[in-house]
Amino acid sequence: MADLATAVEPGIVVVEDNGTGPFSETVRSGAHVLAADEPVAKGGNDTGPDPYAYLLAGLGACTAMTLRMYARQKKWPLEKVRVQLQHGKIHAADCESCETKEGKVDRIQRTIELEGPLDDAQRKRLMEIADRCPVHRTLTSEILIQTSAR
């Protein structure tokens, strides 16, 4: 594992306790240094976003980047993208489209605002493209997480 005093290889994220609180973490991605923590209400010191905020940030950033890339390729007049996300849990029984029927399921609400003189067909197509961003596809596909110890 990389020493947190130096940058880590591209494509690798290193998370380590930073010693400033019960859940305070230092996150390194390439040359970037970020903080993660839990809010005070959950026993943390609120020194950074919580893990779900980072999950939502990844989806939101990927969505916005994908839409801008697509609009640029099509030479469409997309001036600005704003993606707002919220995570929560709902009862599976309240979700008609979910395979899970008992307990709770995670729900991410995503609202996308598109600015610029786009016509209705362009707006509709961009909303379809939003579901094709790589992070959205990852989150809605089967995921294998392999864990090992050192």
Side-chain angles (χ1 to χ4, degrees):
M1 188 179 310
D3 180 338
L4 286 180
T6 61
V8 296
E9 294 178 43
I12 295 177
V13 174
V14 176
V15 180
E16 185 172 72
D17 294 341
N18 63 28
T20 63
F23 303 114
S24 298
E25 306 293 332
T26 297
V27 180
R28 287 207 181 267
S29 174
H32 306 284
V33 180
L34 309 163
D37 202 350
E38 287 290 346
V40 173
K42 291 188 176 180
N45 291 339
D46 200 24
T47 60
D50 70 23
Y52 277 107
Y54 277 111
L55 179 74
L56 296 178
L59 175 59
C62 185
T63 300
M65 291 174 188
T66 299
L67 293 177
R68 282 200 309 274
M69 187 182 313
Y70 188 86
R72 188 175 303 126
Q73 289 172 348
K74 295 288 188 178
K75 298 186 180 4
W76 289 354
L78 176 63
E79 295 170 358
K80 186 175 181 180
V81 177
R82 182 173 189 263
V83 183
Q84 181 176 322
L85 301 111
Q86 184 175 14
H87 171 264
K89 294 196 181 268
I90 61 169
H91 292 284
D94 295 335
C95 180
E96 293 178 17
S97 62
C98 295
E99 291 179 22
T100 302
K101 297 301 175 197
E102 295 180 11
K104 291 193 174 186
V105 294
D106 290 277
R107 176 178 62 184
I108 295 174
Q109 294 178 288
R110 179 175 61 174
T111 303
I112 301 170
E113 296 175 38
L114 305 172
E115 291 184 19
L118 299 159
D119 63 35
D120 290 342
Q122 290 168 331
R123 288 179 181 279
K124 182 179 184 237
R125 182 65 180 146
L126 286 170
M127 294 304 287
E128 293 168 354
I129 293 299
D131 288 347
R132 294 188 178 178
C133 91
V135 173
H136 181 103
R137 287 183 172 200
T138 297
L139 291 173
T140 58
S141 68
E142 183 176 357
I143 300 174
L144 171 64
I145 299 175
Q146 296 177 314
T147 304
S148 60
R150 287 190 189 206

